[in-house]
Amino acid sequence: MNLLINIAIILSAFSGMEGIAWLTHKYVMHGIFWPLHRDHHLKEHYGFLERNDLFFLIFALPGIACLAAGTLYHLPVCTCIGIGITLYGACYFFVHDLFIHQRIKVLRNSENRYLKAIRRAHKMHHKHTGKYDGESFGMLWVSWKYFRNTSKNNPA
């Protein structure tokens, strides 16, 4: 029974991170921390890394803190939350940096409708180069409108 509870906590933390990512992206990254995020939209950098990559470290801290507290103080709930946060961060890296932005050239030609919808939603997000008037701030949850506009004959 403990295993099922732990899995439920991990999945809840993972799922909750999509909401946290959406809120943080819309109100923090496109808000007070726009100076760090701006180069991601405007391509003001010339190397492999962007100022925006600092968010990867910032967002890793809660997962690290939960994993550390859970391990050091024998708090399985904290450990499970830390695992969920860390798994979401790994998925975010694979989807955002590898699949969408192709920082390393992998998964270039997927015909999967879900992956095409994610790519289309992110493309629409980047259509807005300024701090305001953005759309599609999440990562793994995609509005149905991006599925409707994605078919086998309509590439993302």
Side-chain angles (χ1 to χ4, degrees), residues 33-63:
F33 285 117
W34 176 249
L36 286 179
H37 187 58
R38 181 180 65 212
D39 72 332
H40 182 64
H41 282 264
L42 299 176
K43 296 299 174 206
E44 298 173 331
H45 63 283
Y46 298 100
F48 185 73
L49 297 176
E50 307 171 348
R51 283 187 304 271
N52 184 69
D53 292 331
L54 289 173
F55 287 112
F56 187 76
L57 297 173
I58 293 167
F59 294 142
L61 292 177

Side-chain angles (χ1 to χ4, degrees), residues 74-129:
H74 307 287
L75 302 169
V77 171
C78 280
T79 303
C80 291
I81 292 171
I83 291 169
I85 292 170
T86 302
L87 288 174
Y88 183 85
C91 284
Y92 190 96
F93 171 76
F94 284 112
V95 170
H96 184 263
D97 290 331
L98 298 185
F99 176 67
I100 293 172
H101 288 291
Q102 292 289 302
R103 284 194 168 184
I104 300 171
K105 307 296 184 207
V106 294
L107 297 172
R108 297 181 97 167
N109 299 315
S110 174
E111 289 299 319
N112 181 285
R113 287 187 73 215
Y114 173 67
L115 294 177
K116 287 170 85 173
I118 286 176
R119 188 173 271 158
R120 182 176 302 279
H122 202 74
K123 188 176 193 176
M124 295 307 293
H125 175 73
H126 278 270
K127 169 180 90 168
H128 305 282
T129 57

